[in-house]
Amino acid sequence: METRASYMLVGGFVLTFLVGLVAFAIWIAKVDLDAEYTDYDIYFEGTVSGLLKRSIVYYQGIPVGDVRDIQLAPDDPSKVLVWIRLKAEVPVNQESVAKLEFQGLTGVAYIELYGGTHSDAPPLKVPPGQERAVIKSEASPLLAIFESAPNLVNEAILVVSQVQKLLSDKNIQSVSGAIQNTERLTGNLAKGTDDLDVIMADVKEILAQAKIASAQINTLIENGNSLLEDDAKLLMEETTKTMQTATALLERVDNMVAANEGAVTQFVNTSLPEVSRMILDLRLTARNLSRLMSRIEQNPAEIIFGTKEAEYDLKSRKTVEDDN
Amino acid sequence: MTVDTLHLLVRQPIKLLGLAGCAFLAACGPIISFGDDGPADQIFGLEHAAAPSALGDMGTIIYVEEPLMSDGLGGNQISVALADNQRTSLQGVRWSANSTDLIRDYLVRGVANAAGVRLLGEGAIDVQAGCRMGVKVWAFEFVPGDTADDDRVDVEIEFVLVRYYDNRLIGQPTFTASPAVSEPGGRGITAAFDTAMGSVSSQAGAWLREYAGECAL
């Protein structure tokens, strides 16, 4: 017997089932068909290790988007370009800053957005030649720590090495020796207490003598003061009188010089050169007298009777004896 | 001498003085020349021919000192230089005054005319001057040659110019002249000395003209 099926009913059932299946899938996938999104670019300096596609983007701790793509910046390989997609209602403007953060020490990275709460800040605009607006980025402190961690470990290893050197057997022996010496010193000090008593007694005696000397110095100073007050006054008076007398004498000399300035000037200008010339003439005269005296000493008769010398005769052109 | 003779001398002192005078004159016979029978000496002067300059700069006055003469060059005698550095004097010819005075007077007039400055010599010791000029005569003598045509005179004079106010030596040049004797005899020799002194004065005047500003009062 042939079954008579209702094709319309079957087809309707199947369609209803398929629509229900799609609705169920959409419900399961939590697809928000009404949601609107905005894409942004973020340029990070250096590594973004731990950040993956689909990593969450938080705004004040609330997941507001995800990472769509990660690649090197086209014009600067030292930077990383991260493409994120945020819900349209997320307040992003020119004050917004993106940081790469990490969840604990596991190394799972995510992007946290800060700022943008001031509504009067200008909104972000798509730069010319780019597809998306760019959010500023800052380096994460944790990232700096992670980056410097290897160096810290190396430094720690170096410190441990130095400590090991410091605590070598030789140094430990030296420290032990120093401690032993200290103990010996303190022991000696304890034993030398008697000597310290003697020293203190001597110091007391010295201080007593210093006290006596101080009293004597005070007496000397008092005597000096009385000397200055009494005898010095007389001395100062005598000195003042002497100075006054000297001043008067100088004034008289000054007046005398002023009164005779013309005569003095004339003497300096005329008489002194004359004296100078006279001295020259006297030198010449003295020289001649000296020469005369020498001749008299050598041959007195020559002065009185003259010398017998030959003279030159122009006619005969020869010397002839003087007959006189 | 008897006692009577002594009494006579004591009582007549005039006669005694007369006798002593006669004895003194007799002793001084060689000193006092009573002349001789020979011809008299020829006496010549040394004088600058030109008239004294009346236009000398009164702001530049230089005092000329008495020349210092080497031995044998001074006095009235005319020195003669013979061979082997022998020196004597000319017979029958002498200067009219001491040669130092003649040279000084000649330079005062001759150098002043050549330099255009005022030079003062003897008699001006009390005049304020800017400089003094010492004069040292190294040669002032007649040099006879083999013949009369070779006779000449040598004059060599060194000048020392010193500024009075700081005693700075401004210059110390030496000038020489050796003209020939144009005619034999005393006249020709003294004329040659005149020529030599004129040459030395001209040279000294040219030099002094350059440094006269250093002696301005």
Side-chain angles (χ1 to χ4, degrees), chain A residues 126-137:
Chain A
V126 178
Q130 291 196 9
E131 299 178 359
R132 296 170 288 275
V134 178
I135 299 174
K136 292 182 291 187
S137 67

Side-chain angles (χ1 to χ4, degrees), chain A residues 150-171:
Chain A
N151 291 334
L152 288 174
V153 172
N154 290 334
E155 294 290 335
I157 292 171
L158 185 62
V159 168
V160 170
S161 173
Q162 296 294 335
V163 168
Q164 283 180 343
K165 290 181 183 175
L166 184 65
L167 295 179
S168 65
D169 294 341
K170 185 179 178 182
N171 289 342

Side-chain angles (χ1 to χ4, degrees), chain A residues 269-270 273-274 276-278 280-281 284 287 291 304-305 309-314 317 319-321 324, chain B residues 30-31 63 65-66 68 71 82 88-91 125-129 132 144-145 147-148 151 164 189:
Chain A
N269 288 338
T270 60
E274 189 176 340
S276 175
R277 292 172 209 156
M278 187 179 69
L280 291 174
D281 288 343
L284 190 62
R287 192 185 61 142
R291 194 175 296 163
I304 299 173
F305 302 110
E309 62 180 25
E311 292 185 331
Y312 186 80
D313 183 21
L314 280 173
R317 300 190 67 77
T319 54
V320 294
E321 292 292 332
N324 292 329
Chain B
I31 300 175
Y63 176 75
E65 292 179 350
E66 182 180 352
L68 296 172
D71 275 347
L82 301 176
T88 184
S89 56
L90 204 57
Q91 188 182 46
I125 196 171
D126 54 346
V127 177
Q128 185 182 5
R132 65 178 175 86
T147 64
D151 290 350
Y164 268 121
I189 292 171

Side-chain angles (χ1 to χ4, degrees), chain A residues 277, chain B residues 59-63 127-132 162-165 170 214-217:
Chain A
R277 292 172 209 156
Chain B
T60 303
I61 296 177
I62 298 171
Y63 176 75
V127 177
Q128 185 182 5
C131 293
R132 65 178 175 86
V162 179
R163 188 161 57 197
Y164 268 121
Y165 83 87
I170 296 173
E214 302 279 347
C215 302
L217 293 173

Side-chain angles (χ1 to χ4, degrees), chain B residues 35-126:
Chain B
D36 54 28
D37 297 333
D41 288 344
Q42 287 182 296
I43 300 175
F44 295 94
L46 189 66
E47 207 167 311
H48 191 261
S53 172
L55 301 175
D57 182 8
M58 290 296 286
T60 303
I61 296 177
I62 298 171
Y63 176 75
V64 180
E65 292 179 350
E66 182 180 352
L68 296 172
M69 307 285 286
S70 296
D71 275 347
L73 299 181
N76 291 36
Q77 302 293 323
I78 296 177
S79 179
V80 178
L82 301 176
D84 301 327
N85 287 330
Q86 188 180 354
R87 293 289 187 277
T88 184
S89 56
L90 204 57
Q91 188 182 46
V93 182
R94 58 186 170 91
W95 295 113
S96 59
N98 196 305
S99 57
T100 58
D101 296 337
L102 294 176
I103 293 172
R104 186 189 205 182
D105 292 342
Y106 194 103
L107 291 175
V108 166
R109 183 174 288 187
V111 176
N113 280 335
V117 299
R118 190 166 292 270
L119 299 186
L120 298 177
E122 186 64 35
I125 196 171
D126 54 346

